[in-house]
Amino acid sequence: MPKKMARDKRGKPLVRSAAGLRPARAHSVKELLAHSAPGLTRVTVQGARQSFWGGWLCHHLPTDLGARVSAVVERDGTLVIFAASAAWCARLRYAVQELEPQIRAAAPQLIAIAVRVQPRS
């Protein structure tokens, strides 16, 4: 049986515009990942906040205390600062208590500030 000519086929139009078929071109990897995986955007923002607080604390804390900060996490309006050991955690609590007005000025959205010992893995 012979094939039908293209003009007799139903479905696709004969003339297509190229503008309607191509998605908008991403200019960077960040834009590409933001559109394809929105969950990665949240991880990127959390990483940026963590590096901001790590640098901020190292700048404002004494040198020996700043080196003992293991990690800093901002979640649900609470800034959680992790120390390397229980002894450093106690010293860090007192230092953070003195810095609390400056921390709240840097981030007014914070509700609480907690200092904890980094769990061993």
Side-chain angles (χ1 to χ4, degrees):
M1 179 169 266
K3 289 185 174 182
K4 290 184 181 180
M5 294 178 59
R7 62 188 162 120
D8 294 335
K9 290 186 177 180
R10 295 182 185 166
K12 297 181 182 177
L14 292 176
V15 179
R16 289 189 244 170
S17 66
L21 296 177
R22 292 184 191 158
R25 187 173 178 177
H27 296 287
S28 68
V29 174
K30 182 179 178 181
E31 288 179 24
L32 182 65
L33 291 175
H35 293 299
S36 65
L40 291 176
T41 306
R42 182 176 50 89
V43 172
T44 305
V45 169
Q46 285 177 351
R49 294 300 296 169
Q50 184 175 3
S51 66
F52 165 76
W53 282 115
W56 193 93
L57 286 171
C58 284
H59 179 71
H60 288 85
L61 287 172
T63 309
D64 59 338
L65 278 176
R68 301 302 178 179
V69 173
S70 303
V72 182
V73 179
E74 185 180 338
R75 63 178 118 146
D76 299 328
T78 303
L79 183 67
V80 183
I81 304 167
F82 291 99
S85 68
W88 287 109
C89 184
R91 289 185 63 188
L92 195 56
R93 273 195 192 108
Y94 290 114
V96 167
Q97 201 170 30
E98 293 175 6
L99 286 176
E100 188 169 350
Q102 294 174 349
I103 292 172
R104 293 201 185 272
Q109 76 275 7
L110 290 178
I111 299 167
I113 301 169
V115 180
R116 297 190 181 145
V117 178
Q118 178 74 34
R120 292 186 180 171
S121 50

